Amino acid sequence: AMAGEGSTFRLRCSLLGHGQDVRGLTRGLFPEGGFVSVSRDRTARLWAPDGLNRGFTEVHCMSGHSNFVSCVCIIPPSDLYPRGLIATGGNDHNICIFTMDNPAPLYVLKGHKNTVCSLSSGKFGTLLSGSWDTTAKVWLNDRCMMTLQGHTAAIWAVKILPEQGLMLTGSADKTIKLWKAGRCERTFTGHEDCVRGLAILSEMEFLSCANDASVRRWQISGECLQVYYGHTNYIYSISVFPQCKGFVTTGEDRSLRIWKQGECVQTIRLPAQSVWCCCVLDNGDIVVGASDGIIRVFTESLERTASAEEIQAFENELAQASIDPKTGDLGDINADDLPGREHLKDPGTRDGQTRLIKDNGKVEAYQWSVSEGRWIKIGDVVGSSGATQQTSGKVLFEGKEYDYVFTIDVNENGPSYKLPYNITDDPWLTAYNFLQKNDLNPMFLDQVAKFIMDNTKGQTLLSTSNQFSDPFTGAGRYVPGSSSGSSNIAGADPFTGAGRYVPGSASNAVSPVGGVDPFTGMGAYQATAAKVENIYFPKKDAVTFDQANPTQILGKLKELNGNAAEEHKLTEDDLIILEKLLSATCNTSAETPTAQQLQTLWRAVNWPEDIVFPALDILRLSVRHPTVNENFCSEKEHVQFIILLLKFLNPKGKQANQLLALRALCNCFVSHAGQKLMMEQRDEIMTQAIETKSGSNKNIHIALATLTLNYAVCLHKVNNVEGKAQCLSVISTVMEVVQDLEAIFRLLVALGTLISDDTNAVQLAKSLGVDSQIKKYASVSEPAKVKECCRFVLNLL
């Protein structure tokens, strides 16, 4: 039975089994009420509630990692695996997938280049992993579908959000990123140190915890709604109660904290320095794992509370723990000033309050329990013969590091105040700010300043070691910003969404030829009247841009050549050569293009970007010819060729060039050499091409949609999972911005072609939420092909 509001969590049981630190926990789906734990002892263990008493029994031990296991999640049941699967990530860079009844993995996912430290599962069998290699990966069954790149340091936390296609990653670079269909939509900044944990509250809100000792509540839109302070050291894990009635956090300050209505309502200390992980079971009980290898379960239910002997044993264990004053978990300790045991006669003022006493020269730490009305011993403070904080490095206060945090009692009965201070600060200014902040009488100024100076005597500005070494690796931890990682190429990784150019009011490109734009590909698709038959996809052949007006193109070329700078000017002979090339490739003559013609064309397409478009247009038309295609796309030439076209895709460049470069890329697909090159360079080309979505030129959008469609045609023939995933991500991203219905139609055909005859691709499209994106096109009246094609796609989804 659930206990009433405001009741207290007490020990339910302690579980021995793991040989080393318990690093990850997740509630299980099967057996009901159970959970899975993973440990540095390289195993994962499944625990089931044992019906007779209040404990749990280990029912299944799994091994498959060659190093520490650091995270775990459950993959929901499917037709194939009705009890779901267990996924674990480890320091061996691998992810192991286990069934509920076999100690060896069903399969192993390889791809990360460093420790996998976080996992989250979504609908349709998707799994999201975060790694110290700074990337997150999306997996579907046994394949990697996409890699999320953009963080500059380890990704410690990942979560798949309830709304399809949305994912969160939290990193040692102090940021959290929101990803939609594989692209970074938003970056959340505010934490002042590594983000270590994430928890979902609703479709619109989530929580994060970090090494800055704070918890933050965020809105998906980017706003930080609240910051919670309470922990005195790194917070490693955060878990939400059922129906989001509060949350639980654990950390490096030996504690588990329970939060309700934004307040820390209970602090439970454990006899272990690092409380690595926690999870909440369906009945509201809390499971925690710590560096002593023991799993402990706490409950509000009196029926499930441990026996008096077990609770006494736990308290004895806690009382015998030795607390290192250097961690700062207990504030400043000066043994000479500590009161004796009589100090424990006075009751505490709030739950979790700590009090230090000195008994026979030994310093002991106690914590007040409101529910029991008594002081509970939480350990012996070792090495505290007057040693204070300052000898040990930094103290955290409200998430920031200080050399000292003093506790100041202004009068006997009033509250005490925390005064953070760094050696580099001015004592008078600090004292003044402290009095201001706490609304205290300014006449205390001399007293407080003198107190600071007396207590920091002889402290010179040593280079205070700031190396709070990461308790996980024992090594100095990732300090974001210390690497020169940010000085990547100006066009930072396109997945980050950073530095993307959004044209304000770029005027539409002046159509290169005469008044009409011959490039609309009019009449490219004429839908027949047949309503029933799917004539749209899977499409078997590439779509090309064939419309041409050689006379106009050559006229423009000559006109621009007349005004070109000397070093670019083409001779009369050159112009005749290009004319011949055009007629050879536009099927008006039976001649084969010659090497000389192609060399001349290459010179022309390297013109300055303000005059190059007629030459690009000749390239667009001629690359459809097998000879030209072979020449530019062959092993020898292709590098320069691709570099040239990608250069024109820059969204800051001229729209006419963007358009013609996209069309030239589409036309490359007509022959085998071109297809091979396009597939080899797919990642680069798609990544650049998608940037052209930011303009408002519908012809560019149609060309971009066509390029995606041509990729879909190729990918339908070969089963390249990452290729399909990238293509689906592009379709989803471009769908968001495109208005033109011809472009939408081509994207729908691309989508239909990609997911035809491929259940994996269908699952991935669903997990990206593509079905909800395209529904609105099922009711478009004109042109009918949009509506028809859309309905065929929705049938597959």
Side-chain angles (χ1 to χ4, degrees):
M2 286 292 287
E5 274 299 295
S7 56
T8 308
F9 278 90
R10 293 182 177 81
L11 184 70
R12 171 174 166 181
C13 59
S14 299
L15 305 171
L16 305 166
H18 283 295
Q20 289 185 50
D21 302 47
V22 177
R23 291 301 315 238
L25 287 163
T26 185
R27 67 186 184 87
L29 295 171
F30 179 91
E32 216 173 315
F35 61 88
V36 186
S37 60
V38 296
S39 160
R40 292 180 75 142
D41 68 8
R42 308 183 181 191
T43 66
R45 295 169 197 242
L46 175 59
W47 304 81
D50 88 35
L52 304 169
N53 57 30
R54 309 172 181 91
F56 287 81
T57 314
E58 182 187 313
V59 289
H60 185 32
C61 179
M62 295 151 278
S63 307
H65 289 281
S66 59
N67 207 328
F68 307 153
V69 193
S70 39
C71 56
V72 59
C73 83
I74 298 283
I75 297 173
S78 61
D79 297 344
L80 203 51
Y81 301 103
R83 292 147 115 201
L85 295 166
I86 296 168
T88 60
N91 282 41
D92 57 6
H93 313 179
N94 292 344
I95 299 165
C96 291
I97 309 290
F98 297 93
T99 57
M100 298 294 168
D101 39 27
N102 190 334
L106 181 66
Y107 49 83
V108 178
L109 305 178
K110 294 177 181 282
H112 279 296
K113 297 182 175 66
N114 208 324
T115 296
V116 178
C117 51
S118 181
L119 291 166
S120 172
S121 62
K123 295 180 187 156
F124 315 109
T126 46
L127 180 68
L128 175 62
S129 60
S131 163
W132 293 0
D133 67 11
T134 78
T135 71
K137 288 182 183 286
V138 184
W139 309 81
L140 184 61
N141 305 326
D142 55 347
R143 309 293 289 273
C144 176
M145 289 294 170
M146 43 179 74
T147 300
L148 311 182
Q149 295 175 313
H151 282 293
T152 55
I155 295 180
W156 277 107
V158 296
K159 274 284 183 281
I160 295 184
L161 282 155
E163 190 192 318
Q164 287 168 12
L166 292 183
M167 298 174 178
L168 288 170
T169 53
S171 163
D173 65 13
K174 309 181 192 176
T175 71
I176 299 161
K177 288 182 184 288
L178 172 71
W179 307 80
K180 181 161 191 180
R183 286 176 67 81
C184 180
E185 285 273 301
R186 182 168 294 116
T187 300
F188 302 79
T189 52
H191 277 298
E192 293 171 18
D193 204 339
C194 312
V195 179
R196 295 297 286 259
L198 292 166
I200 306 299
L201 289 172
S202 68
E203 291 213 347
M204 298 316 296
E205 290 187 15
F206 66 93
L207 297 164
S208 60
C209 65
N211 279 2
D212 62 11
S214 75
V215 172
R216 286 174 177 260
R217 183 161 66 92
W218 305 86
Q219 236 167 358
I220 295 290
S221 57
E223 195 187 343
C224 180
L225 301 172
Q226 211 171 342
V227 184
Y228 309 89
Y229 291 111
H231 281 278
T232 55
N233 209 325
Y234 303 160
I235 308 177
Y236 292 131
S237 115
I238 184 161
S239 190
V240 176
F241 283 113
Q243 289 96 47
C244 296
K245 293 201 163 63
F247 58 92
V248 194
T249 50
T250 65
E252 181 65 10
D253 58 6
R254 322 166 65 90
S255 76
L256 146 75
R257 292 174 195 247
I258 290 127
W259 305 75
K260 299 271 170 84
Q261 275 110 33
E263 293 292 318
C264 176
V265 294
Q266 193 184 349
T267 301
I268 298 174
R269 303 269 170 180
L270 295 180
Q273 182 64 54
S274 309
V275 190
W276 289 121
C277 51
C278 60
C279 73
V280 179
L281 302 178
D282 290 335
N283 59 11
D285 288 5
I286 303 166
V287 188
V288 293
S291 50
D292 59 2
I294 298 173
I295 297 167
R296 296 181 178 84
V297 186
F298 294 89
T299 184
E300 281 184 303
S301 147
L302 295 172
E303 292 164 24
R304 293 195 294 274
T305 301
S307 66
E309 299 82 55
E310 285 173 279
I311 288 183
Q312 191 54 55
F314 173 64
E315 285 188 14
N316 294 345
E317 200 186 346
L318 195 54
Q320 284 155 22
S322 39
I323 298 174
D324 181 352
K326 292 199 203 61
T327 58
D329 302 337
L330 301 169
D332 275 328
I333 299 168
N334 190 343
D336 303 337
D337 307 342
L338 290 176
R341 189 164 293 287
E342 69 285 353
H343 191 42
L344 298 177
K345 293 200 180 86
D346 308 333
T349 50
R350 59 182 170 78
D351 194 77
Q353 179 185 357
T354 52
R355 194 166 271 186
L356 301 177
I357 62 148
K358 192 168 166 188
D359 194 29
N360 293 328
K362 279 208 342 255
V363 177
E364 298 178 359
Y366 286 80
Q367 172 178 308
W368 179 251
S369 163
V370 167
S371 57
E372 307 196 15
R374 66 188 177 103
W375 290 98
I376 297 173
K377 184 177 175 196
I378 58 169
D380 293 309
V381 180
V382 292
S384 55
S385 53
T388 46
Q389 198 73 56
Q390 51 270 32
T391 52
S392 68
K394 299 281 190 174
V395 209
L396 281 169
F397 174 66
E398 289 189 351
K400 296 192 181 65
E401 286 182 335
Y402 293 93
D403 294 319
Y404 300 80
V405 177
F406 298 113
T407 304
I408 308 261
D409 290 307
V410 180
N411 55 32
E412 294 286 281
N413 321 325
S416 57
Y417 298 93
K418 292 281 189 212
L419 168 72
Y421 178 75
N422 281 321
I423 298 166
T424 50
D425 294 344
D426 174 314
W428 296 92
L429 185 62
T430 305
Y432 173 78
N433 289 338
F434 164 77
L435 296 172
Q436 289 281 89
K437 178 183 172 186
N438 295 300
D439 257 347
L440 298 170
N441 190 327
M443 67 176 220
F444 289 120
L445 184 64
D446 287 4
Q447 224 176 321
V448 176
K450 184 172 181 312
F451 172 88
I452 294 175
M453 292 186 282
D454 289 347
N455 283 281
T456 56
K457 264 200 205 85
Q459 279 295 321
T460 49
L461 238 180
L462 294 166
S463 57
T464 337
S465 140
N466 204 347
Q467 300 281 293
F468 240 137
S469 66
D470 188 315
F472 197 25
T473 55
R477 62 175 165 44
Y478 260 101
V479 180
S482 61
S483 71
S484 55
S486 49
S487 64
N488 282 354
I489 335 154
D493 187 348
F495 276 146
T496 59
R500 261 218 326 258
Y501 167 65
V502 181
S505 52
S507 57
N508 269 356
V510 183
S511 156
V513 193
V516 271
D517 180 355
F519 304 112
T520 53
M522 284 290 285
Y525 284 82
Q526 283 305 315
T528 56
K531 282 278 178 281
V532 209
E533 186 198 358
N534 178 359
I535 54 165
Y536 302 110
F537 62 82
K539 190 136 181 47
K540 296 284 194 280
D541 302 303
V543 177
T544 52
F545 290 92
D546 302 317
Q547 206 153 359
N549 186 331
T551 336
Q552 280 185 322
I553 296 172
L554 287 163
K556 195 71 189 168
L557 188 73
K558 284 176 181 158
E559 176 197 323
L560 292 168
N561 190 47
N563 306 324
E566 279 312 312
E567 70 268 24
H568 297 302
K569 263 202 175 57
L570 298 173
T571 63
E572 278 306 307
D573 289 351
D574 291 336
L575 292 168
I576 293 166
I577 288 169
L578 289 177
E579 191 170 353
K580 281 193 174 143
L581 174 63
L582 253 185
S583 64
T585 54
C586 292
N587 306 331
T588 42
S589 81
E591 293 176 32
T592 305
T594 64
Q596 185 193 27
Q597 290 169 358
L598 296 179
Q599 280 159 358
T600 309
L601 175 58
W602 185 248
R603 270 172 43 221
V605 291
N606 279 287
W607 268 8
E609 63 172 319
D610 49 336
I611 58 169
V612 73
F613 62 87
L616 270 183
D617 212 5
I618 299 175
L619 178 66
R620 183 257 315 181
L621 288 163
S622 48
V623 80
R624 297 168 308 157
H625 193 287
T627 314
V628 183
N629 196 295
E630 179 64 43
N631 178 76
F632 283 126
C633 302
S634 69
E635 294 301 313
K636 287 201 306 291
E637 302 294 334
H638 74 254
V639 182
Q640 272 82 19
F641 178 64
I642 290 294
I643 290 172
L644 175 86
L645 289 179
L646 291 184
K647 180 183 78 182
F648 291 125
L649 292 183
N650 181 349
K652 295 196 177 86
K654 285 180 78 75
Q655 289 197 330
N657 296 345
Q658 289 174 41
L659 178 66
L660 292 165
L662 283 170
R663 289 182 175 173
L665 287 166
C666 291
N667 287 356
C668 284
F669 282 91
V670 294
S671 331
H672 179 70
Q675 276 176 25
K676 185 166 173 287
L677 173 63
M678 299 310 280
M679 290 301 276
E680 279 167 10
Q681 305 289 323
R682 181 199 81 246
D683 194 33
E684 275 292 288
I685 293 171
M686 288 295 250
T687 300
Q688 259 316 125
I690 197 169
E691 298 299 328
T692 61
K693 75 182 171 65
S694 52
S696 54
N697 182 314
K698 70 170 196 174
N699 291 324
I700 289 180
H701 288 168
I702 292 170
L704 177 58
T706 310
L707 180 63
T708 313
L709 171 53
N710 286 352
Y711 270 115
V713 170
C714 283
L715 288 163
H716 179 64
K717 296 178 188 138
V718 297
N719 191 19
N720 174 334
V721 190
E722 283 205 35
K724 285 192 171 184
Q726 185 187 29
C727 224
L728 282 169
S729 169
V730 168
I731 292 170
S732 166
T733 310
V734 176
M735 278 274 183
E736 299 269 286
V737 291
V738 168
Q739 305 286 310
D740 182 79
L741 287 174
E742 180 59 37
I744 293 290
F745 171 66
R746 295 185 183 199
L747 289 169
L748 287 169
V749 176
L751 178 57
T753 302
L754 273 179
I755 64 177
S756 290
D757 324 311
D758 184 348
T759 49
N760 260 350
V762 170
Q763 278 181 293
L764 185 66
K766 282 187 185 170
S767 70
L768 292 178
V770 176
D771 44 348
S772 53
Q773 263 186 313
I774 64 173
K775 281 199 175 84
K776 58 182 174 197
Y777 298 114
S779 48
V780 168
S781 50
E782 271 305 307
K785 62 182 185 179
V786 172
K787 169 177 69 186
E788 287 167 21
C789 185
C790 181
R791 288 177 183 174
F792 282 122
V793 175
L794 287 170
N795 287 344
L796 289 182
L797 293 169

